[in-house]
């Protein structure tokens, strides 16, 4: 990765780490599905009027449903049910393990034995959290976050496939775009195309989430909900929409389009660190010995799971 791509990856992970605290603040005034629907409504409108839509195919819908609907509906619900911002940020990074596995199965990217060892170490950290469920992490919240991680993983793969497909099409049309290989991700897909993927994917998510919220949170869709929402919750929604979603996911999709998933995904290691730190500083979350043990195990596993392929024997 270039120095610029590295800096952008760190910036995105900082934004996403801080974002968990802002989610907690937004949930003080809005129920989870409604907050998620509002997030993607403002993500899509009015930008859908100015950005050319990507090709509406299975890849786009998998991206929208996995990355936006599944990930955030279940993350917001988990936090609404009592999961702390710091633990949510940590557990959600299990999506790295899942993404590496999916990249191996779907994209044909190599996976080494040391990566498998890393995944097993990460599972030990997951076990530590399982043994301490309750309080900051209720069982139902734990399950919701696992579902969210699976959704994000499928969204990562779909984002990469969509970017590769767009670059291939551009090359075929004689635009001068150069592609090294469809499986390396080293194409020249523009940042604007990545942003369009986020915006139009957000529009699809908004429709699904609004219908879901109307079904399960009928009492929330009243004028009083919007009028009585605190300024802190509205500002939190603004951060979630414009900083975390438009800037964060736009840059992440761009980075995945320019680099292999195995090069980009290791930076997700920083998200739970930023997430836990800001949760402690801004919400008063208590750091216990088992949280630290779980973090060390999961982050160590994630680090090994993203070691360069040459360090271990490839599983081919």
């Amino acid at each position: 990765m270039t120095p610029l791509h590295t800096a952008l990856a760190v910036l995105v992970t900082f934004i996403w780490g801080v974002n968990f605290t802002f989610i907690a603040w937004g949930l003080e005034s809005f129920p989870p599905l409604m907050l998620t629907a509002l997030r993607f409504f403002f993500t899509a409108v009015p930008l859908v009027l100015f950005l050319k839509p990507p090709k509406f195919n299975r890849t786009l819908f998998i991206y929208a449903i996995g990355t936006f609907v599944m990930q955030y509906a279940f993350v917001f619900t988990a936090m609404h049910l009592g999961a702390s911002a710091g633990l949510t940020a940590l557990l959600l990074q299990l999506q790295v393990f899942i993404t590496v596995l999916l990249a191996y199965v779907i994209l044909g990217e190599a996976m080494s034995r040391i990566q498998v060892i890393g995944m097993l170490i990460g599972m030990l950290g997951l076990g530590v959290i399982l043994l301490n469920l309750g309080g900051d992490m209720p069982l139902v919240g734990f399950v919701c976050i696992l579902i969210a991680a699976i959704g994000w993983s499928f969204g990562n793969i779909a984002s990469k496939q969509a970017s590769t497909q767009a670059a291939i099409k551009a090359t075929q049309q004689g635009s001068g775009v150069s592609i090294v290989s469809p499986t390396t991700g080293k194409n020249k897909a523009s940042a604007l195309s990545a942003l369009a993927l986020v915006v139009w994917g957000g529009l699809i998510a908004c429709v699904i989430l609004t219908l879901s919220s109307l079904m399960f949170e009928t009492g929330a869709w009243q004028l009083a909900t919007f009028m009585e929402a605190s300024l802190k919750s509205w500002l939190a929604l603004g951060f979630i929409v414009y900083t975390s979603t438009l800037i964060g996911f736009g840059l992440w999709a761009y980075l995945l389009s320019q680099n292999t998933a195995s090069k980009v995904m290791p930076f997700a290691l920083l998200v739970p660190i930023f997430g836990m730190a800001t949760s402690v500083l801004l919400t008063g979350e208590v750091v216990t010995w088992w949280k630290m043990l779980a973090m060390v195990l999961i982050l160590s596993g994630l680090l090994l799971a993203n070691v360069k392929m040459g360090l271990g024997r490839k599983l081919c």
Side-chain angles (χ1 to χ4, degrees):
M1 292 177 64
T2 66
L4 175 60
H5 288 174
T6 300
L8 290 176
V10 173
L11 174 62
V12 172
T13 55
F14 173 76
I15 289 171
W16 284 346
V18 174
N19 189 56
F20 288 94
T21 296
F22 281 89
I23 292 171
W25 291 342
L27 289 169
E28 292 178 2
S29 299
F30 302 103
L33 294 180
M34 183 182 191
L35 181 62
T36 317
L38 290 173
R39 171 188 189 152
F40 291 113
F41 173 79
F42 290 113
T43 295
V45 178
L47 289 179
V48 290
L49 301 177
F50 305 99
L51 294 175
K52 182 180 179 180
K55 183 178 180 180
F56 280 82
N57 54 19
R58 184 178 62 180
T59 300
L60 175 61
F61 281 92
I62 292 175
Y63 175 75
I65 294 172
T67 302
F68 295 153
V69 177
M70 286 183 64
Q71 181 187 181
Y72 282 99
F74 282 100
V75 163
F76 284 28
T77 299
M79 294 183 66
H80 175 72
L81 294 172
S84 68
L87 276 178
T88 300
L90 176 62
L91 267 178
L92 190 58
Q93 299 319 306
L94 293 174
Q95 57 87 16
V96 175
F97 296 133
I98 304 170
T99 299
V100 171
L101 286 171
L102 291 177
Y104 172 69
V105 173
I106 298 175
L107 302 180
E109 293 187 6
M111 183 169 62
S112 66
R113 293 188 185 280
I114 198 169
Q115 288 180 302
V116 175
I117 294 173
M119 293 179 189
L120 294 176
I121 293 175
M123 292 303 103
L124 291 177
L126 186 65
V128 171
I129 297 176
L130 274 170
L131 292 174
N132 291 276
L133 290 177
D136 284 351
M137 183 55 65
L139 175 59
V140 65
F142 178 85
V143 173
C144 284
I145 295 170
L146 290 184
I147 295 173
I150 293 171
W152 190 4
S153 300
F154 276 99
N156 282 330
I157 298 301
S159 172
K160 187 169 182 60
Q161 288 181 318
S163 297
T164 301
Q165 292 166 2
I168 291 174
K169 181 179 178 181
T171 301
Q172 292 174 339
Q173 292 176 344
S175 63
V177 176
S178 175
I179 301 176
V180 176
S181 167
T183 59
T184 63
K186 295 180 180 178
N187 56 62
K188 301 297 183 181
S190 68
L192 190 61
S193 296
L195 180 61
L197 183 65
V198 172
V199 169
W200 282 91
L203 182 63
I204 295 170
C206 174
V207 173
I208 297 172
L209 289 162
T210 300
L211 293 175
S212 299
S213 180
L214 288 171
M215 289 176 60
F216 299 107
E217 301 168 342
T218 54
W221 290 88
Q222 301 178 18
L223 182 60
T225 301
F226 299 95
M227 297 298 294
E228 295 172 5
S230 67
L231 176 61
K232 182 169 71 171
S233 292
W234 280 114
L235 291 175
L237 177 60
F239 180 91
I240 293 168
V241 170
Y242 300 108
T243 306
S244 177
T245 306
L246 290 177
I247 295 177
F249 276 100
L251 288 175
W252 196 252
Y254 171 72
L255 289 170
L256 283 171
S257 75
Q258 300 295 311
N259 305 275
T260 62
S262 60
K263 287 184 177 179
V264 177
M265 297 313 299
F267 286 94
L269 290 165
L270 298 174
V271 174
I273 297 174
F274 290 134
M276 185 69 75
T278 53
S279 180
V280 170
L281 291 173
L282 300 178
T283 69
E285 180 175 349
V286 177
V287 178
T288 61
W289 68 268
W290 64 266
K291 287 183 183 180
M292 294 304 298
L293 177 59
M295 177 175 285
V296 169
L297 288 170
I298 290 176
L299 293 184
S300 298
L302 291 173
L303 184 62
L304 290 175
N306 288 283
V307 167
K308 288 188 71 174
M309 301 305 171
L311 296 182
R313 183 180 175 184
K314 295 179 181 178
L315 301 176
C316 297

